[in-house]
Amino acid sequence: MIPSIDELLAESAVLSLPMRTKFRGITTREVMLIRGPGGWGEFSPFVEYDDQESAPWLRSAIEAAWDGPPEPYRARVRVNATVPAVSAAEVPGILARYPGVDTAKVKVAEKGQTLADDVERVRAVRAEIPRVRVDANGGWTVDQAVEALTLLTEDGDLEYAEQPCATVPELVEVRRRLPGVRIAADESIRRAEDPLRVVRAGGADVAVLKVAPLGGMRALLELAGELGEYGVPVVVSSALDSAVGMASGLAAASAIPRLEFACGLGTGSLLETDVADGAELVDGTLPAGPVEPDPERLRALAASDERTRWWHQRLRRTYTHLR
């Protein structure tokens, strides 16, 4: 049963979280936290998403706050470092925030940057981290992807290349032309009406799954099971969540029977301040468990009245798409 709008808003908080480094083109992450009988949930679709695309995010927040997490298989989850599109000189400082981590995801294909910038950044990461994966967010054409991935693998293998191109046919073609590079699908799964289409078409070796865009922890687990039938392993990743949203990602990852790859659930270090103290990285792993926001931080990080009204209106509009 879906709680009413009044129940969702009764114990909610809209927050503005400052970021250490520009990521996804933003320097402040706005989130709306909702408290229910099962704990806290997070409603935080990016501001450019329309109401229909935001509906799974609200469904996910309701699941976390009313139903709580699924039963886990493991207490801790191995995570990767996330390196934004910074200069090569800034890489050691970024990686220092991830003690014990042996895998790094490096952002590439950033607007306003060059392929040479990407190569130098990946090189700097390789000097410190043994396993490297790159994420282009669909920013390359097929020819650009082939050229870039060929250069990026001259000094060593990539664990995989995430969403090198935007469309499923392009991913299929890149995978055909570069059989030695694993291709991971992200946007082609979480923003698709049929999340299995890219796998059926032969466009992905790995699936990157995010709790909120898929509608919750249990929806992610169901899709992970279906992908497993195709022999496609999954990586659970964050959507630049606060500690509350990250807890749902860690809970989902802890409930997957077999995790072959480190998960992208260490992005809390991209935030200058979070709603709760981040869990301590131990040997490159984070614990799966509930998060209770700090009341003082909820007050200190509260968004303006104008932005709070905007999020309340957004929730009301999105709510109409839940049924």
Side-chain angles (χ1 to χ4, degrees):
M1 184 167 175
I2 300 173
S4 69
I5 290 176
D6 287 342
E7 288 175 303
L8 293 175
L9 293 176
E11 292 190 73
S12 65
V14 178
L15 308 172
S16 180
L17 309 179
M19 298 175 61
R20 296 176 188 268
T21 308
K22 181 185 266 190
F23 190 79
R24 253 190 127 267
I26 60 175
T27 56
T28 302
R29 179 69 166 119
E30 289 186 342
V31 303
M32 183 175 186
L33 303 186
I34 298 168
R35 187 174 191 175
W40 286 86
E42 179 173 324
F43 174 56
S44 59
F46 294 104
V47 294
E48 68 269 21
Y49 288 7
D50 65 25
D51 299 338
Q52 185 169 352
E53 187 170 3
S54 299
W57 298 66
L58 183 54
R59 209 172 286 120
S60 175
I62 291 170
E63 178 199 38
W66 264 258
D67 300 331
E71 287 296 316
Y73 278 93
R74 60 188 64 79
R76 301 188 69 90
V77 176
R78 190 162 66 95
V79 301
N80 63 259
T82 299
V83 179
V86 296
S87 68
E90 295 173 90
V91 164
I94 298 288
L95 294 179
R97 302 173 194 157
Y98 296 92
V101 166
D102 64 2
T103 306
K105 180 170 86 168
V106 186
K107 289 292 184 178
V108 294
E110 183 85 354
K111 289 180 180 178
Q113 296 192 3
T114 67
L115 178 54
D117 295 325
D118 293 339
V119 171
E120 289 304 310
R121 188 181 312 111
V122 169
R123 229 174 242 154
V125 174
R126 271 211 184 95
E128 306 208 20
I129 295 279
R131 294 187 185 89
V132 179
R133 55 183 73 155
V134 296
D135 181 7
N137 287 118
W140 289 322
T141 65
V142 170
D143 288 341
Q144 287 171 335
V146 170
E147 177 190 7
L149 294 174
T150 299
L151 280 174
L152 290 168
T153 52
E154 282 186 349
D155 295 338
D157 293 336
L158 292 173
E159 190 172 49
Y160 58 72
E162 183 176 329
Q163 203 71 40
C165 303
T167 70
V168 169
E170 287 174 321
L171 295 183
V172 172
E173 179 62 13
V174 171
R175 192 164 175 254
R176 185 189 69 80
R177 288 171 61 177
L178 290 175
V181 178
R182 281 195 196 103
I183 301 300
D186 174 10
E187 287 89 346
S188 290
I189 291 175
R190 66 180 166 87
R191 302 188 79 170
E193 289 186 10
D194 178 5
L196 292 173
R197 179 181 167 229
V198 64
V199 172
R200 294 192 190 103
D205 301 283
V206 179
V208 178
L209 306 184
K210 299 178 179 179
V211 168
L214 291 173
M217 297 170 280
R218 289 163 181 83
L220 183 149
L221 294 175
E222 182 178 349
L223 179 57
E226 293 173 341
L227 287 161
E229 294 175 6
Y230 287 87
V232 175
V234 304
V235 174
V236 181
S237 191
S238 84
L240 198 53
D241 308 307
S242 78
V244 169
M246 201 69 69
S248 291
L250 288 164
S254 75
I256 294 174
R258 183 169 178 269
L259 275 178
E260 182 178 337
F261 297 101
C263 288
L265 297 169
T267 56
S269 68
L270 297 174
L271 299 174
E272 191 174 298
T273 307
D274 207 339
V275 297
D277 286 331
E280 185 179 357
L281 270 167
V282 176
D283 296 328
T285 67
L286 286 172
V291 166
E292 184 72 22
D294 183 326
E296 289 188 9
R297 295 192 193 181
L298 292 181
R299 287 191 290 271
L301 296 168
S304 68
D305 291 344
E306 179 186 358
R307 295 306 298 167
T308 297
R309 284 193 297 272
W310 187 89
W311 277 92
H312 285 192
Q313 291 165 0
R314 185 185 206 188
L315 183 144
R316 290 177 184 279
R317 294 194 313 268
T318 302
Y319 187 87
T320 65
H321 293 272
L322 289 183
R323 301 179 191 278

